Amino acid sequence: MILTDGNIDSKKIDKLIGKALKFNWKNRRVVGGVGMFLSSFENKTSSSEKLKVNSKCNLEIRGKGLLLHSNFSGKRSLVPIVKADILEIKLIRGEEKINPIPFSPMWILLKLGFSVLQSRYLGLTKQQYSIESMEMSLKTDSYEMVFNANGFLFERQEAFLECLDLGDRLAIIKGFSN
């Protein structure tokens, strides 16, 4: 079921996938995913409902599932996804290239033992650090979707997906670094 601006009913969504989770400062659980772009969408049901490719999308954790928010040219669509209907979520990290220039801030931090995740922001040029875009595929009983996003957002999306407790239905593939 894809809800568009004209037929969005919050009571129906709450009944299907539960209420929106509130952010808890004590356990700091992630409640929303990063912004992504839809690169493919397949509706497995006989319905002709579709989401537009290149829509800006993000996922929100609900009590009994996920709510996919989609926006294309100001037209909003929502897709409630029941947790039990999720067959597989696959998150693929883009290829990472690390080539720090000697005595640059990034090189110094790496030599001091800082992680690449921290020191990559002090790379002076794109030749020092680059990462390809990440890809996420989501397969449910009714839909198959593929999303792309900036590779720098991989760790945030990984933390978000791990909060879902999907077990072996979640596959995280970390790309190769050089």
Side-chain angles (χ1 to χ4, degrees):
M1 159 178 37
I2 298 175
L3 305 171
T4 57
D5 277 328
N7 64 357
I8 292 176
D9 182 10
S10 60
K11 290 181 184 178
K12 183 190 286 186
I13 293 170
D14 290 349
K15 184 178 179 185
L16 188 62
I17 57 173
K19 293 190 180 275
L21 298 180
K22 302 285 186 220
F23 184 74
N24 183 347
W25 287 99
K26 290 184 181 176
N27 82 5
R28 297 184 186 203
R29 181 177 176 187
V30 180
V31 294
V34 301
M36 304 174 288
F37 289 95
L38 184 67
S39 57
S40 75
F41 180 82
E42 179 185 339
N43 191 341
K44 296 181 194 175
T45 63
S46 61
S47 173
S48 63
E49 298 175 315
K50 291 189 90 168
L51 291 178
K52 299 250 189 212
V53 174
N54 291 327
S55 297
K56 176 79 170 165
C57 299
N58 63 350
L59 293 167
E60 172 189 353
I61 295 178
R62 292 292 187 117
K64 296 184 272 181
L66 295 171
L67 184 62
L68 173 69
H69 296 264
S70 172
N71 189 343
F72 186 80
S73 295
K75 294 185 175 126
R76 191 171 69 139
S77 300
L78 301 177
V79 180
I81 302 169
V82 179
K83 188 175 181 180
D85 293 346
I86 297 173
L87 302 174
E88 176 187 54
I89 296 179
K90 188 184 295 184
L91 182 65
I92 303 170
R93 182 182 188 150
E95 185 178 346
E96 193 175 36
K97 294 181 181 146
I98 306 165
N99 189 21
I101 298 170
F103 305 107
S104 69
M106 181 179 172
W107 182 85
I108 292 168
L109 288 176
L110 287 171
K111 291 296 180 186
L112 290 173
F114 285 83
S115 73
V116 172
L117 296 178
Q118 295 168 325
S119 57
R120 68 184 178 183
Y121 294 105
L122 294 175
L124 301 175
T125 64
K126 274 192 153 185
Q127 289 78 22
Q128 286 189 306
Y129 182 86
S130 66
I131 187 167
E132 303 276 325
S133 64
M134 72 170 175
E135 183 177 288
M136 186 182 93
S137 64
L138 172 63
K139 294 180 183 175
T140 69
D141 292 336
S142 305
Y143 307 108
E144 284 190 25
M145 300 170 255
V146 178
F147 305 93
N148 287 315
N150 187 329
F152 281 89
L153 302 173
F154 178 83
E155 287 76 21
R156 285 182 38 211
Q157 188 69 2
E158 179 182 25
F160 167 74
L161 293 174
E162 287 174 347
C163 286
L164 297 175
D165 297 325
L166 293 173
D168 60 348
R169 295 182 289 170
L170 174 62
I172 296 176
I173 302 166
K174 299 192 179 185
F176 303 98
S177 60
N178 117 42

